[in-house]
Amino acid sequence: MGHKTCTVKYWVQDPSLILHKYLQSADLIFGGITFQIHFFFPLMSFSGRPPQSLYEDPNCFTKNYQQILALEFATKEINENAQILPNLTLGFHIYDCYSNARWTYYVTLQLISTKNKFVPNYKCDSQDNLMAVIGGLDSENAYEITNVLSIYTIPQLMYGFASVMTDNMRAASFYQMVPSETIQYKGILQLLLYFQWTWIGFIAYNKENGERFLQIMHSVFSQHGICFAFIEMYPHLNFDDIIYVDEWRRELYDKLLNTTATVLIYYGETNSMVFLSSLIYISEMDYPAQNLKGKVWILTAQMEFTLLDFQRSWDIQFIHGALSFAIHSQDVLDFHRFIRSRNPSNTKNDGFIKNFWEQAFVCMFPDSNLGNSYEDICTGEERLEDLPGTLFETRMTGRSYSIYNAVHALAHALHAMHLSKSTGIGEGEKRKLQRHQPWQLHHFLRSISFNNSAGDQVSFDQNGVLVEGLDVINWVTFPNQSFVKVKVGKMDIQKPPDQAFTVNEDAIIWPREFNQTQPFSVCTASCQPGYRKKVKEGKLFCCYDCIPCPEGKISDKKDMAECLPCPNDHYPNKEQNSCIPKVVVFLSYEDPLGMGLAIVAILFSLSTSVVLSTFMKHHNTPIVKANNRSLTYALLVSLLFCFLFSLLFIGRPGKVTCLLRQTAFAIIFSVSISCILAKTLTVILAFMATKPGSRMRKWVGGKMATSIVLSGSLIQGGICIVWLATFPPFPNVNMYSMTTESILECNEGSPPMFYSALGYMGFLSILSFIVAFFARKLPDSFNEAKFITFSMLVFCSVWVSFIPTYLSSKGKYMVAVEIFSILASSAGLLACIFAPKCYIILFRPELNKREQLIKRTY
């Protein structure tokens, strides 16, 4: 087969290597030219030193035997496939690293030594051609193996989770047959958010890994409103430690019993279930009345539901309804049949099966060296499917599926490498192929992409991590200690972030205490809409009080931190959990108030028209002549317009009506008051002019009255023109005055100009009142000043009361107050000044004679 070659590689001195005599390995090699794949396999994990056999220490994980079968099945499947590595045989060695750093380094160094000799840095063998290593299961073992293999750039395919991918591992020889752990972090977050679990407990089996998880996720959880009810982390403990460290065990169990968190995250390693079941089993033995119930466990993908032989009878109901992330796996064709066909009688090359069989079925073979350790004799006809799932599963587990994919990935990479080197393989080519170096395989491993027999695609990303997601598993247990793993969801990294996490809530079986209703895990019950959260002083932000929203604000979702105001055109409902559109209101003719005021305005307008027509009809009578007919007609016309212009205040405000409302009202009223002032002054001057030698005669006449009316009106007109030119009134929607109504109104534009117009009318009114008051004692024939005094008293009283009433009113009632003031003051003038005269004209015509007026004068 050619001459041997000798290569010096690396030298390591370690006194512990004298323990080589305890090393156990098994070679399962098929004939032909072989390329060796070395497999690190954890047969046990608790002892300080490796045992002579599986029975020296009872803490053996029989469930891991399936991983050996997956390795053998994959190798056999490849060697029987003429399409992959034709005329070549793939072989493997199995080594146990015992989850111990010293032994892991020892086994790794042996791999790079001459076969069956431990001489580090020296290799002299052309047949034993190491091409790759599969292992280890735990991240710690994987790092220890990587420290040695990276020196020689030998490909290492890890089938467990690597908690931390260092730059050295990425740049050297490391490949990960499971997804990146960051996917699991995201999956846990999405799972908590999906079920709205915000109050959780956290237990980490490995303190270093637990601290790393918290370092990455603590702030992320806080950003999404998730708090930790408690955090408990402990270093790796041997089984003996968990039994005898009572103080620590009781403290942790008390936390589990007393916590208000329903959801507990258990961040464990491969075999952490042993410790969790021991903790609960021993604690319930000590406190039988305090069973741990009503908890939903969230388990990490690193964990397998694996128990030791002596734990097979322990109650596993505590895990019923748990959710976990799991390495994606599929049923591989013929693997189930391959497992069922395994028994000691028809398997000759399997160096593990007898020891596994005796450990799993609690029996011994007649030729065993165990003496009388077991009473039952192994027949070899026992069925693997009868074993509880905690000891062995017949369906391919996630670990085994990763190993299966790892072997196929290496085979495809070797096949691609061979095709690139040669188109045909003869005897000469076989010798060349033996001289292939492991580092040459990296290029092909990085670029492989194929579909395995289960239909899943296998490929690596740029960091050497398998491009795959994680399954969400629901654990369902039964009283006979069996269980099933129900796939209820998936974390798919190849989908957009908002679609990556999916879960079928209806397929989940919850712990029995919840009666198949979704559990809640919150520190405080959700604040219902209409309330907001108020964090309790000194507590985590997940613990809060619920207080009602302040007036004018709402919360329309649960657990809102702040209440929000409604839009301007909406208002909160009574429960303050939604906004209701405001009713648009204005003083309309359909409104009873608007209709009533309109009718009153029309009636007064008709009354004024009747009075005007009466005076015009009797315009030559003494009583009409004695009271200055021109001013009387002007006053009646202005009062008529006052009544009619009040109708501008009723109806939907528009641009034109808003411009005319206040200005027309101010000008017309100014005309009315100016007429009254002119009438009063005319009476006074006329009386004074009758005295002998009076100089007032030149002031008596129509010109003086006209000038008073015009000057009084023009001043008000000037004020209104300035008002309209600078900041005129305009239609406006007032959304703030009323809580439930949006008010259509006329904004006055410039408040100073509005109050200037009112003030000027007030000035004229007071002046008229003062003048009339001093003229009230004139002789009866000229006693119109007495009626004017009383009318102005009514007028001023109305408008003095108008100001506070107007300012205290809102909405359409403000408009109604102003209309009422206009009507009341106008009606006061009409009634007080003209009612006595109309009575004489209509009902006492005998008094409407010149003789009667002269008689009354004297």
Side-chain angles (χ1 to χ4, degrees), residues 37-38 40 111 130-135 145 149 154-157:
I37 301 173
H38 286 30
F40 282 77
L111 291 179
L130 171 64
M131 294 301 294
V133 171
I134 299 177
I145 297 169
L149 295 184
I154 298 173
Q156 175 190 353
L157 282 71

Side-chain angles (χ1 to χ4, degrees), residues 523-739:
C523 181
T524 303
S526 295
C527 291
Q528 298 301 313
Y531 293 80
R532 72 173 181 89
K533 298 191 298 184
K534 181 181 179 182
V535 178
K536 296 180 180 179
E537 187 175 356
K539 300 290 185 180
L540 294 173
F541 66 88
C542 291
C543 304
Y544 46 81
D545 293 321
C546 296
I547 61 175
C549 287
E551 185 178 355
K553 293 186 177 182
I554 65 143
S555 61
D556 55 356
K557 297 182 180 64
K558 291 183 177 180
D559 293 332
M560 290 186 65
E562 295 293 339
C563 296
L564 303 175
C566 287
N568 293 335
D569 57 347
H570 288 68
Y571 69 96
N573 62 352
K574 184 178 180 180
E575 293 76 19
Q576 291 184 278
N577 56 16
S578 65
C579 293
I580 301 174
K582 289 184 178 181
V583 178
V584 178
V585 297
F586 56 91
L587 189 62
S588 65
Y589 290 101
E590 291 78 14
D591 188 284
L593 180 60
M595 183 182 296
L597 291 173
I599 292 173
V600 171
I602 293 173
L603 290 176
F604 279 129
S605 299
L606 294 175
S607 300
T608 306
S609 300
V610 170
V611 172
L612 178 60
S613 62
T614 300
F615 269 66
M616 293 179 68
K617 183 178 180 181
H618 300 86
H619 68 284
N620 290 321
T621 60
I623 197 168
V624 175
K625 291 180 179 180
N627 289 283
N628 197 326
R629 288 179 295 185
S630 300
L631 288 177
T632 299
Y633 294 155
L635 177 59
L636 286 172
V637 171
S638 63
L639 290 177
L640 175 62
F641 279 111
C642 285
F643 290 126
L644 292 176
F645 279 168
S646 66
L647 297 176
L648 292 174
F649 290 84
I650 304 174
R652 179 180 289 271
K655 186 174 181 180
V656 175
T657 55
C658 286
L659 289 173
L660 293 177
R661 275 185 182 183
Q662 302 296 351
T663 54
F665 152 68
I667 293 173
I668 294 300
F669 251 70
S670 296
V671 171
S672 299
I673 299 171
S674 298
C675 289
I676 293 173
L677 180 61
K679 284 173 68 67
T680 307
L681 289 174
T682 299
V683 171
I684 295 173
L685 292 175
F687 179 78
M688 295 175 66
T690 58
K691 294 181 180 181
S694 175
R695 298 179 179 179
M696 295 298 175
R697 292 182 179 182
K698 61 179 180 180
W699 296 101
V700 177
K703 291 183 178 181
M704 186 202 71
T706 303
S707 63
I708 292 174
V709 172
L710 288 176
S711 60
S713 303
L714 289 175
I715 293 174
Q716 185 70 287
I719 294 174
C720 292
I721 290 172
V722 174
W723 184 5
L724 294 176
T726 56
F727 199 172
F730 58 90
N732 182 48
V733 181
N734 186 344
M735 300 180 181
Y736 306 101
S737 297
M738 303 291 288
T739 302

Side-chain angles (χ1 to χ4, degrees), residues 220-231:
V220 177
F221 280 3
S222 298
Q223 292 171 9
H224 291 84
I226 300 171
C227 300
F228 290 99
F230 69 90
I231 296 173

Side-chain angles (χ1 to χ4, degrees), residues 509-524:
I509 303 297
W510 298 112
R512 297 178 179 87
E513 289 74 18
F514 297 108
N515 295 322
Q516 202 47 34
T517 58
Q518 180 195 321
F520 292 95
S521 188
V522 294
C523 181
T524 303

Side-chain angles (χ1 to χ4, degrees), residues 46 59 237-244 274-275 278 282 308 310-311 314:
F46 300 105
N59 303 325
L237 297 175
N238 290 330
F239 183 75
D240 293 338
D241 296 330
I242 199 172
I243 296 177
Y244 294 109
V274 173
F275 292 98
S278 299
I282 297 171
L308 298 172
F310 69 88
Q311 296 175 305
W314 289 7

Side-chain angles (χ1 to χ4, degrees), residues 13 55 121 127 158 164 197 256-257 285 301 319 379 405 471 481 494 540 547 569 628 634 689 711 755 760 844:
Q13 285 185 322
Y55 293 106
N121 297 332
Q127 294 293 319
M158 181 181 177
V164 176
W197 292 331
L256 296 179
L257 285 174
M285 292 280 289
I319 212 69
T379 64
N405 285 333
D471 293 335
Q481 301 302 89
Q494 300 185 42
L540 294 173
I547 61 175
D569 57 347
N628 197 326
S711 60
Y755 289 110
Y760 179 73
R844 299 293 300 273

